[in-house]
Amino acid sequence: MLCYIISMIKNFNINNYELTQSEGVFTLKNDNTTLGFVRFNDAGEVEYIFVSPIFRKHGLAKKLLNLVKKKTGKKIILQKPISPLGEKLLKSMEKWS
């Protein structure tokens, strides 16, 4: 099983996913699993963002947040409480411009 997961990570293609949208939620999926999702409101406030641990460091959070920004036309705000991973995301968002 571990070899399968390592192989899946090595062969991961950021462009090989399906984007689904429902009211206030964007979800990125591939054939096997959910890669990540974001839940937001019309004010651009992100209520929850999740990227599966094995798919982190591939720009998925950035892609999801850019979708929210485009959809709402608002500056992204993360609702509190913010987890330690959320704090790291906030710091990296400052560099995105």
Side-chain angles (χ1 to χ4, degrees):
M1 180 67 169
L2 181 59
C3 290
Y4 170 75
I5 292 172
I6 291 170
S7 171
M8 201 163 95
I9 293 169
K10 286 181 181 177
N11 296 323
F12 177 67
N13 179 351
I14 187 70
N15 298 313
N16 190 19
Y17 63 86
E18 173 188 353
L19 171 65
T20 60
Q21 179 183 358
S22 59
E23 187 65 33
V25 178
F26 287 116
T27 305
L28 295 174
K29 301 176 184 181
N30 68 13
D31 290 338
N32 301 312
T33 190
T34 297
L35 307 177
F37 65 91
V38 62
R39 181 181 174 95
F40 60 96
N41 62 31
D42 291 336
E45 297 173 327
V46 173
E47 299 167 2
Y48 195 86
I49 185 167
F50 172 78
V51 175
S52 177
I54 63 172
F55 298 108
R56 292 181 183 157
K57 303 291 183 186
H58 292 281
L60 294 176
K62 183 176 183 178
K63 183 175 281 298
L64 288 165
L65 292 174
N66 282 332
L67 287 166
V68 171
K69 186 175 181 179
K70 184 177 179 182
K71 171 79 175 174
T72 63
K74 309 281 185 184
K75 180 180 176 188
I76 299 298
I77 300 167
L78 300 184
Q79 287 186 347
K80 294 183 180 182
I82 300 173
S83 70
L85 280 175
E87 292 290 344
K88 287 176 73 174
L89 178 60
L90 275 174
K91 287 181 184 176
S92 69
M93 283 172 59
E94 294 170 1
K95 301 174 190 173
W96 295 350
S97 306

